[in-house]
């Protein structure tokens, strides 16, 4: 099992309504809140390195993620291709939790965000 980084909370709760607002805004709006760059081990893509947060005082910045962290998976899905991001975005509509896996300073970490509240059904999610 992968343990969380020392400073990061192991589990945090977020509300379904807040998550739905982020999902409704789309991936572009979310990515405008954080600067990332591809991270490689040798010549092989290994994940997305967090460079900075657009708003250092935001909930995203307070989530336990830090600049320099390399995110390798979200809910077990690698985000190597645009279609993977679309799949993740769709899956988050009904996900009971968001699990972010990666490494910080060469050590693995996992952050878990429990989603509180009822999930929208697939038909309700399309607005």
């Amino acid at each position: 099992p992968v343990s969380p980084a020392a400073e990061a909370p192991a589990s945090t709760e977020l509300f379904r309504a807040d998550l739905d607002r982020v999902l409704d805004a789309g991936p572009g709006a979310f990515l405008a809140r954080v600067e990332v760059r591809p991270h490689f081990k040798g010549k092989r893509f290994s994940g997305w390195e967090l460079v900075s947060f657009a708003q250092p005082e935001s909930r995203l910045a307070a989530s336990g993620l830090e600049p320099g962290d390399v995110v390798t998976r979200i809910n077990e899905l690698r985000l190597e291709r645009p279609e993977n991001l679309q799949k993740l975005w769709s899956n988050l509509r009904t996900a009971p939790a968001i699990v972010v896996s990666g490494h910080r300073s060469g050590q693995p970490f996992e952050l878990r965000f429990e989603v509180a509240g009822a999930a929208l059904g697939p038909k309700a999610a399309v607005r």
Side-chain angles (χ1 to χ4, degrees):
V2 178
S3 62
E7 310 85 36
S11 182
T12 303
E13 187 175 77
L14 62 98
F15 293 101
R16 171 64 58 192
D18 293 335
L19 175 58
D20 286 341
R21 276 191 288 281
V22 171
L23 296 173
D24 289 345
F30 177 80
L31 292 172
R33 298 177 182 180
V34 59
E35 181 182 352
V36 295
R37 66 178 163 223
H39 185 268
F40 296 89
K41 284 187 180 179
K43 293 183 179 185
R44 188 170 173 87
F45 176 83
S46 65
W48 293 98
E49 180 180 356
L50 300 176
V51 177
S52 65
F53 298 99
Q55 299 172 342
E57 69 284 351
S58 70
R59 288 178 59 193
L60 180 60
S63 68
L65 292 168
E66 298 179 5
D69 287 352
V70 177
V71 174
T72 56
R73 295 177 184 268
I74 299 177
N75 288 10
E76 295 299 318
L77 186 62
R78 295 184 63 82
L79 301 176
E80 297 173 356
R81 296 189 167 96
E83 60 267 20
N84 296 79
L85 179 58
Q86 283 303 112
K87 182 176 181 179
L88 172 66
W89 216 253
S90 176
N91 291 348
L92 289 177
R93 289 281 178 193
T94 57
I98 299 172
V99 180
V100 179
S101 303
H103 53 86
R104 174 180 296 160
S105 301
Q107 298 299 312
F109 73 86
E110 185 174 276
L111 297 175
R112 183 177 182 88
F113 304 91
E114 299 295 332
V115 180
L120 294 173
K123 291 181 183 177
V126 178
R127 293 190 168 114

